[in-house]
Amino acid sequence: MIAELFYRRQALVLGTLSMIGIVVFWQIAVDTGFINPFFISTPSQVAAEFITQFEDGSVATNVAATLYCFAWSLGLATVVGIILGMLAGWFADVESALEPFIWFKYSAPTVAFYPLFVAWLGYGTPTIIAIAFLFALTPIYANTLSGIKNTDRDLARAARSFGARPLDIFLRVALPGSVPVMMAGLRLGVGRALTGVVVAELFGANAGLGYAITYYGQLMQTTKMMVSIVIVIVLGVLLTQILSFLETRTDSWRVDSNR
Amino acid sequence: MAQIEIRDLGIDYRKPKSNEVFSAVDNVALSVEKGEFVTIVGSSGCGKSTLLMAVAGLVSLTRGSIQIDGKQINGPGPDRAVVFQEASLLPWRSVRGNVKFGLEMQRWNGGDLNERAMQMIRLVGLGRFSDYHPHQLSGGMRQRVNIARALAVDPQVLLMDEPFGALDAQTREIMGTELLRIWERDKKTALFVTHDIDEAIFLADKIVVMGRNPGHIKEVIKVNLPRPRNEAILDSEDFHELRKRLRAHLAEDMSSMQLVQEVA
Ligand SMILES: Nc1ncnc2c1ncn2[C@@H]1O[C@H](COP(=O)(O)OP(=O)(O)OP(=O)(O)O)[C@@H](O)[C@H]1O
Ligand SMILES: [Mg+2]
């Protein structure tokens, strides 16, 4: 236990140290003239610019716009992915019927649908949500599917021996048994939803972190652009970590449903 | 009329990746009286589990019939409960949750579920562990939970498939004694599959010896050792006799297995 804690700490410390190392290296490389700041700016400039953007409210605006699309796309992907995944995991026919779409999604890059969505939904929020929804849908669907489909046969048989009906087995055996895999799918979905939002914002939006990145990128204002990039990275890490935490909570089987 | 009446039972399985069938069990006839403790022994693959699962209503019969209290069985029923060999506890539920599971599935309405579950948990000696989860228990404790879960639904017939198969010899002996102690309370009819000769004798009123190809009953041996029993009878003259007889049966099976290997 203590060793484990130490190990965790150690990982955290090492991770932090290497991050700091990179930031320091970045600053020094620019200060010594090794790298042209025009391409990459410097940590101190980015920090100063962050404060400026924070104070004039553009950080809040962009983060809010991105998170708005993120929340919608992840929410929709979670609902649709879990429902379809449960149906496909339980009914082999549904799985077969959905299979072509999944292959299609795996092999064709989702961004390729961008123009199509623009044609249907116009530029802006709805299209961004749609793209990010597609990004996030696959892992949530696929994990739910495999969780339900790989229900422990011995447990299902034990349930049947007590007279369980198919719906009992689904609700009391298959579903709770799939929660950890579904959580893992959700964690992947979170990362992909955020990626989806930012990528879609790069193409066309009037607010959001992705929008800010392209906007300042096109103006060659590297420092201003770096602020949004760093925020995206931090958001991604933060959201994924929250999900990882929830995942270990559900994975340990230590959560007592008290039933 | 016997409580369990098995007539001309035959169960065929389809061979993997072909349309051929093969007989796992054939021509099995057996009657078990109410309150009888019957153990089933035989070499691996002779169809012991298949027979037990057929009585449980978990595999369909190809030929013949199984009646319980004069009624043809049709799938699982509240008159029977099964203790599986292993891994049949829900890992996300506590000991209490697992014992309640069978009751929930049966839509039990004989009073408070929690109370009933706790009663059974105490009966198998796990009172202090009711909030533990399966991964926090030893193999022996897990099997106690399995037994508690089966007893909780108050079945007429208790079906046990090598419940102590994964335990070490010492624990297995303790569990056997425990099982008899619990069984003596209300003497439920029991079918108990095992590989262990001593266990088969120690528990039984009647030992069913099965042979293979296809699975059939070779002999049914009455055990007239007095009850209640304790470890002392392991050294009795009668026990030695029975042990010798069972050994001879199983040795015969082993030699026929070697023959198969030589041919192959
Ligand atoms: N679901 C199944 N499909 C096809 N064949 C099966 C199936 N279950 C069991 N069999 C076959 O039926 C035969 C009897 O199996 P069974 O599990 O009843 O044996 P057993 O006596 O319980 O063996 P063990 O002592 O090793 O548990 C074996 O040859 C096995 O391969
Ligand atoms: Mg078996």
Side-chain angles (χ1 to χ4, degrees):
Chain A
M1 182 65 203
I2 290 174
E4 191 187 324
L5 210 73
F6 176 75
Y7 179 76
R8 283 237 195 111
R9 274 285 158 71
Q10 196 181 18
L12 197 68
V13 168
L14 287 177
T16 314
L17 280 180
S18 76
M19 284 297 295
I20 292 173
I22 286 192
V23 171
V24 169
F25 175 77
W26 175 10
Q27 183 78 41
I28 292 174
V30 177
D31 285 350
T32 54
F34 191 66
I35 299 177
N36 185 342
F38 178 76
F39 295 118
I40 191 154
S41 180
T42 68
S44 52
Q45 281 178 317
V46 172
E49 176 60 26
F50 174 81
I51 292 169
T52 317
Q53 288 193 20
F54 188 82
E55 280 170 350
D56 72 16
S58 54
V59 166
T61 315
N62 289 332
V63 169
T66 297
L67 282 185
Y68 177 82
C69 293
F70 167 80
W72 268 104
S73 59
L74 182 68
L76 286 174
T78 303
V79 171
V80 174
I82 286 180
I83 289 175
L84 288 182
M86 289 194 308
L87 287 172
W90 198 243
F91 301 108
D93 287 346
V94 176
E95 189 196 0
S96 311
L98 292 178
E99 187 120 311
F101 294 97
I102 295 307
W103 280 116
F104 193 56
K105 264 236 60 209
Y106 273 129
S107 43
T110 307
V111 244
F113 294 102
Y114 184 77
L116 208 57
F117 282 119
V118 170
W120 294 340
L121 306 169
Y123 276 105
T125 309
T127 297
I128 295 168
I129 292 173
I131 290 283
F133 164 80
L134 282 185
F135 263 71
L137 183 64
T138 340
I140 298 174
Y141 166 80
N143 278 37
T144 308
L145 163 84
S146 84
I148 298 285
K149 194 174 164 183
N150 298 321
T151 295
D152 191 320
R153 285 163 161 270
D154 289 338
L155 294 184
R157 189 178 62 166
R160 267 195 298 135
S161 80
F162 287 105
R165 299 159 205 176
L167 187 63
D168 292 324
I169 295 179
F170 181 78
L171 292 175
R172 300 305 184 78
V173 180
L175 208 51
S178 308
V179 167
V181 196
M182 283 161 66
M183 286 303 293
L186 212 56
R187 172 171 50 81
L188 296 173
V190 162
R192 299 188 48 165
L194 187 65
T195 311
V197 170
V198 173
V199 167
E201 281 174 348
L202 292 177
F203 286 105
N206 35 37
L209 294 163
Y211 159 76
I213 293 169
T214 20
Y215 179 80
Y216 292 119
Q218 278 161 359
L219 296 177
M220 298 288 181
Q221 293 183 332
T222 314
T223 308
K224 292 187 171 173
M225 181 183 82
M226 285 304 288
V227 169
S228 296
I229 292 182
V230 170
I231 295 174
V232 167
I233 293 171
V234 171
L235 266 186
V237 171
L238 220 61
L239 290 168
T240 312
Q241 283 308 110
I242 292 172
L243 263 289
S244 293
F245 173 72
L246 292 178
E247 200 182 330
T248 50
R249 288 289 305 268
T250 51
D251 208 0
S252 65
W253 301 126
R254 268 171 271 254
V255 275
D256 198 352
S257 60
N258 201 24
R259 282 204 224 107
Chain B
M1 171 102 205
Q3 180 156 42
I4 307 177
E5 197 66 66
I6 303 174
R7 293 205 195 95
D8 305 322
L9 178 69
I11 290 162
D12 294 350
Y13 284 125
R14 176 165 300 166
K15 289 186 181 173
K17 291 182 188 150
S18 77
N19 281 324
E20 284 176 75
V21 291
F22 100 108
S23 248
V25 162
D26 204 23
N27 265 319
V28 166
L30 180 69
S31 354
V32 178
E33 297 298 329
K34 193 170 175 60
E36 234 181 345
F37 202 122
V38 176
T39 57
I40 302 171
V41 293
S43 57
S44 188
C46 70
K48 303 182 294 296
S49 296
T50 303
L51 174 59
L52 201 75
M53 290 306 127
V55 178
L58 291 169
V59 297
S60 47
L61 319 185
T62 315
R63 294 174 292 281
S65 70
I66 300 177
Q67 292 186 347
I68 297 200
D69 292 324
K71 278 211 318 260
Q72 188 74 27
I73 64 157
N74 174 27
D79 51 351
R80 287 151 285 151
V82 187
V83 178
F84 295 93
Q85 178 158 5
E86 56 195 16
S88 70
L89 296 177
L90 303 174
W92 54 87
R93 283 189 177 211
S94 65
V95 167
R96 179 154 29 109
N98 268 289
V99 175
K100 276 161 71 181
F101 182 66
L103 295 165
E104 288 170 18
M105 293 299 107
Q106 282 199 359
R107 316 287 197 274
W108 172 269
N109 47 21
D112 184 47
L113 290 195
N114 269 311
E115 209 151 286
R116 172 93 190 149
M118 283 311 297
Q119 220 176 319
M120 293 302 139
I121 292 165
R122 279 194 287 270
L123 180 65
V124 298
L126 289 180
R128 289 192 299 120
F129 299 94
S130 60
D131 288 326
Y132 280 51
H133 279 72
H135 73 278
Q136 297 164 319
L137 303 175
S138 71
M141 290 158 94
R142 272 182 227 152
Q143 281 311 42
R144 286 170 194 261
V145 181
N146 266 329
I147 291 170
R149 182 176 68 181
L151 290 174
V153 298
D154 196 24
Q156 300 295 308
V157 177
L158 202 52
L159 304 168
M160 291 169 275
D161 189 4
E162 299 192 45
F164 310 143
L167 307 179
D168 60 87
Q170 205 68 43
T171 314
R172 176 185 274 247
E173 213 167 88
I174 295 168
M175 294 291 289
T177 317
E178 276 282 279
L179 181 63
L180 276 194
R181 171 184 69 78
I182 293 166
W183 178 78
E184 296 278 354
R185 289 171 60 236
D186 50 5
K187 302 220 158 126
K188 287 186 191 305
T189 312
L191 284 188
F192 186 105
V193 171
T194 177
H195 270 119
D196 189 287
I197 293 177
D198 280 8
E199 191 174 71
I201 305 167
F202 183 72
L203 296 172
D205 292 314
K206 188 157 101 181
I207 305 169
V208 174
V209 185
M210 289 185 69
R212 34 164 70 233
N213 295 327
H216 62 281
I217 294 180
K218 283 167 74 176
E219 196 186 349
V220 178
I221 303 172
K222 273 293 223 189
V223 178
N224 289 316
L225 299 168
R227 288 187 191 274
R229 296 174 187 168
N230 57 36
E231 287 84 0
I233 65 159
L234 293 172
D235 300 317
S236 70
E237 197 56 39
D238 291 346
F239 203 98
H240 281 302
E241 271 312 306
L242 287 165
R243 189 188 277 145
K244 223 191 262 170
R245 226 163 121 189
L246 281 182
R247 279 240 184 88
H249 263 304
L250 297 185
E252 205 177 283
D253 254 34
M254 283 301 144
S255 60
S256 70
M257 255 167 95
Q258 264 163 14
L259 260 178
V260 174
Q261 273 165 7
E262 276 165 29
V263 173

